Amino acid sequence: MFLTISTTGTPERPATDLGFLLHKHPGKAQAFSTSHGTAHVFYPEAAPERCTAALLLEVDPVALVRRGQGKGRGGAPDAALAQYVNDRPYAASSLLAVALRAVFGSALNGRCAARPELVGQVRPLRIEIPVLPARGGAELVHRLFDPLGWYLVRPEPLPLDEQFPEWGASRYVRLVLEGELRLTDALRQLYVLLPVLDDAKHYWVAPDEVDKLLRAGDGWLAGHPENGLITSRYLARHKRLTRDALERLELARLAEADGSEAEDLDNAVDEDTDTAERPLPLAVRRREAIVAALRAAGAARVLDLGCGQGQLVQELLRDVSFTEITGVDVSVRALGTAARRLRLERMGEKQSGRVRLLQGSLAYTDKRLAGYDAAVLSEVVEHLDPPRLPALEYAVFGAARPRTVLVTTPNAEYNVRWETLPAGRFRHADHRFEWTRAEFRDWAGAVAGRHGYTVEFTPVGEDDPEVGPPTQMAVFTRDGETDTDTTDTTDTTDTPKEGEAA
Ligand code: SAH
């Protein structure tokens, strides 16, 4: 069983930092004895530009059988030779996950005493597992890893016998993953998903397995579209434990959403009592700017990503040129409020055919988001932890790829103008960061470059000569789509939508 983890580096962030992160010196080959055999860790390459750590697990089949763990599915305990002659020693599997934890436990838990600042770093990572049992094949590998922010997920089915290709594929794949992630996130995903793919647990499933699963799944499992399958397989289809785990995941998801759905300081104006005399609240001006930009882009089918309580969706419904409006949010509670605000229940058929609310996380690619003219991310990016931003970037600009994307976010420089905001504080308790104009431009410019978009910036609210506007907006246009394009292939006509529950 073999797994390699590679990273590339620069002089400021050398690839050999991998040694610190894994707590294993790149200059040494080390061996660890685990309950199933010997785990070897060594570095086939260790240079500042590129560094690879390899984990080789030498399984002792006899020890496995003695521990009563080498049995195939339903095999009688004394089925003699079959117990000793099986794929366990050769294929990466749950045992590799156990070894990962035994050997790279600190890295998996996100601890790095020597260089704590490295833990939060998103790094280019490449993981390769030459032989991985995958019950469910390449297709399931995609369903499990695609939503997790990897740029490349490549499971190659391995033939049953190289000499006889006509025999077809075995249940093994060679797996390559590439992406920019924190090492701790990558390891925690593997720790859970390797046994899920193997689907043959080799140890007794004790109740504390639920805790282990939730710990390893923290931050990615609750919102994963396959969390039911993952949980059930990880817990060896143990019904009660699976139900417990799913309930706790749901609670975690709600708690996470609760934290992020409170109104922003600059939104916290009772808009319903707004009168013409007062200056327009910033949230209203923001929506006006967004609607104007959507009209200018000629968008008809619009996604409101992180729609919160549905104020923008409501605004868009007033304009018939928006033929289809989809609000997406991770928070079930916010969506409930949005549905009440829109009076979805009492809407006529024609109106309700134009609007839809979906629960989902923007940190995952989602097929439902493909095929729209435009997507809006209004005051959303700053609610994500910076390491999750590449995943959002990929889900929106890489996978959904609408012609136009609008992103608004607070301008941190303007905060000195908020009288009620103590210096150094963010506008909202859930903001993970607030960008200056330069920081926003850097991010947006890099995103546009990576995904074939052009980006322009528009101030929202009074543009202070010194500190800029309170809100900054980026308008991304997919390359080759800047002009009025009559050969447009996206469907902007008023086609009936496929049937769905009202
Ligand atoms: N767009 C609205 C709400 C902004 S508040 C407005 O402009 O007023 C940020 C919203 O993003 C919240 O509703 C929060 O639940 C949602 N959100 C945060 N992280 C998310 C994620 N990963 N996926 C989807 N929505 C998310």
Side-chain angles (χ1 to χ4, degrees):
M1 287 184 213
F2 193 58
L3 169 146
T4 58
I5 304 171
S6 309
T7 186
T8 51
T10 57
E12 305 80 57
R13 292 171 127 211
T16 41
D17 281 351
L18 187 62
F20 286 106
L21 279 166
L22 291 173
H23 290 232
K24 299 290 172 283
H25 194 284
K28 284 197 284 197
Q30 288 173 274
F32 304 84
S33 104
T34 77
S35 46
H36 310 297
T38 309
H40 303 269
V41 179
F42 55 97
Y43 289 75
E45 54 184 344
E49 310 79 58
R50 209 185 141 77
C51 181
T52 296
L55 171 65
L56 172 74
L57 179 62
E58 216 181 338
V59 175
D60 175 358
V62 177
L64 264 189
V65 174
R66 292 228 179 90
R67 291 170 57 95
Q69 298 172 326
K71 288 170 277 188
R73 242 158 212 283
D78 58 356
L81 203 55
Q83 295 176 45
Y84 293 90
V85 186
N86 61 34
D87 65 6
R88 289 297 129 214
Y90 312 109
S93 69
S94 359
L95 299 185
L96 190 54
V98 174
L100 270 181
R101 206 167 72 127
V103 178
F104 299 138
S106 307
L108 199 126
N109 290 322
R111 281 197 302 268
C112 182
R115 301 276 306 279
E117 78 282 5
L118 295 181
V119 171
Q121 275 182 8
V122 172
R123 291 203 73 102
L125 292 178
R126 183 177 197 279
I127 309 261
E128 181 170 345
I129 306 173
V131 184
L132 174 72
R135 188 183 290 271
E139 192 251 342
L140 182 62
V141 173
H142 277 295
R143 272 162 53 205
L144 295 180
F145 284 98
D146 282 0
L148 292 173
W150 297 90
Y151 295 138
L152 174 88
V153 176
R154 198 176 60 208
E156 285 169 22
L158 296 174
L160 206 52
D161 189 318
E162 285 187 358
Q163 311 231 326
F164 301 98
E166 65 275 17
W167 288 3
S170 66
R171 66 182 198 90
Y172 300 99
V173 299
R174 167 173 176 266
L175 177 63
V176 176
L177 301 170
E178 283 178 20
E180 300 208 358
L181 278 84
R182 298 191 305 182
L183 182 67
T184 166
D185 292 334
L187 290 176
R188 288 183 304 118
Q189 293 172 13
L190 290 172
Y191 175 72
V192 172
L193 296 180
L194 295 186
V196 164
L197 281 164
D198 191 0
D199 200 23
K201 269 276 190 173
H202 302 290
Y203 48 88
W204 172 243
V205 178
D208 76 333
E209 286 296 317
V210 175
D211 295 316
K212 281 190 200 158
L213 172 65
L214 295 182
R215 265 200 306 275
D218 185 37
W220 64 270
L221 184 55
H224 194 296
E226 297 291 350
N227 62 18
L229 176 139
I230 294 170
T231 305
S232 160
R233 278 197 180 189
Y234 183 91
L235 297 169
R237 297 194 167 75
H238 191 300
K239 285 222 175 59
R240 191 175 50 76
L241 294 182
T242 302
R243 205 177 50 236
D244 282 1
L246 284 172
E247 268 166 22
R248 286 170 59 185
L249 279 175
E250 177 65 9
L251 289 176
R253 202 173 53 71
L254 289 175
E256 203 177 285
D258 262 3
S260 40
E261 72 185 347
E263 285 275 310
D264 292 63
L265 167 71
D266 51 6
N267 284 347
V269 182
D270 188 353
E271 290 157 22
D272 295 336
T273 63
D274 182 43
T275 59
E277 287 80 41
R278 278 197 292 150
L280 283 177
L282 186 55
V284 176
R285 298 180 73 163
R286 192 158 48 224
R287 287 199 288 277
E288 282 176 354
I290 291 169
V291 173
L294 289 173
R295 285 199 192 116
R301 307 183 65 220
V302 179
L303 280 170
D304 182 10
L305 303 175
C307 64
Q309 305 178 353
Q311 292 96 331
L312 178 65
V313 172
Q314 187 175 36
E315 189 77 35
L316 294 174
L317 269 171
R318 298 201 179 111
D319 182 335
V320 290
S321 63
F322 301 115
T323 57
E324 191 170 332
I325 305 147
T326 300
V328 181
D329 206 285
V330 75
S331 160
V332 177
R333 253 180 54 189
L335 289 173
T337 309
R340 281 194 299 280
R341 172 190 301 276
L342 299 168
R343 300 193 172 79
L344 271 192
E345 234 103 275
R346 276 169 283 161
M347 229 179 226
E349 229 173 75
K350 195 148 176 229
Q351 277 297 74
S352 67
R354 287 172 63 210
V355 61
R356 139 164 77 160
L357 297 176
L358 301 175
Q359 197 261 331
S361 170
L362 301 168
Y364 300 98
T365 56
D366 188 335
K367 289 204 180 71
R368 299 173 300 176
L369 308 188
Y372 283 83
D373 300 326
V376 178
L377 284 158
S378 166
E379 309 297 285
V380 173
V381 289
E382 65 275 9
H383 288 265
L384 271 83
D385 282 323
R388 303 300 286 162
L389 279 179
L392 170 131
E393 172 189 333
Y394 182 72
V396 176
F397 294 88
R401 283 191 78 68
R403 198 158 32 122
T404 305
V405 181
L406 308 182
V407 178
T408 78
T409 193
N411 164 22
E413 293 163 85
Y414 190 89
N415 288 353
V416 294
R417 297 280 185 269
W418 292 110
E419 281 158 21
T420 52
L421 191 65
R425 285 270 301 279
F426 292 151
R427 296 184 198 177
H428 183 285
D430 187 54
H431 285 181
R432 307 303 159 95
F433 57 84
E434 286 177 356
W435 277 327
T436 62
R437 283 168 293 174
E439 285 168 332
F440 184 44
R441 275 165 193 269
D442 281 354
W443 176 79
V447 168
R450 280 193 284 269
H451 300 280
Y453 282 75
T454 317
V455 62
E456 282 171 25
F457 300 89
T458 312
V460 180
E462 164 230 5
D463 196 355
D464 185 287
E466 213 176 305
V467 297
T471 296
Q472 32 187 354
M473 177 158 82
V475 181
F476 296 81
T477 309
R478 209 166 60 205
D479 289 346
E481 313 255 9
T482 32
D483 299 325
T484 39
D485 186 354
T486 46
T487 60
D488 188 357
T489 51
T490 38
D491 182 10
T492 55
T493 54
D494 217 349
T495 46
K497 288 192 308 117
E498 73 266 43
E500 62 194 50

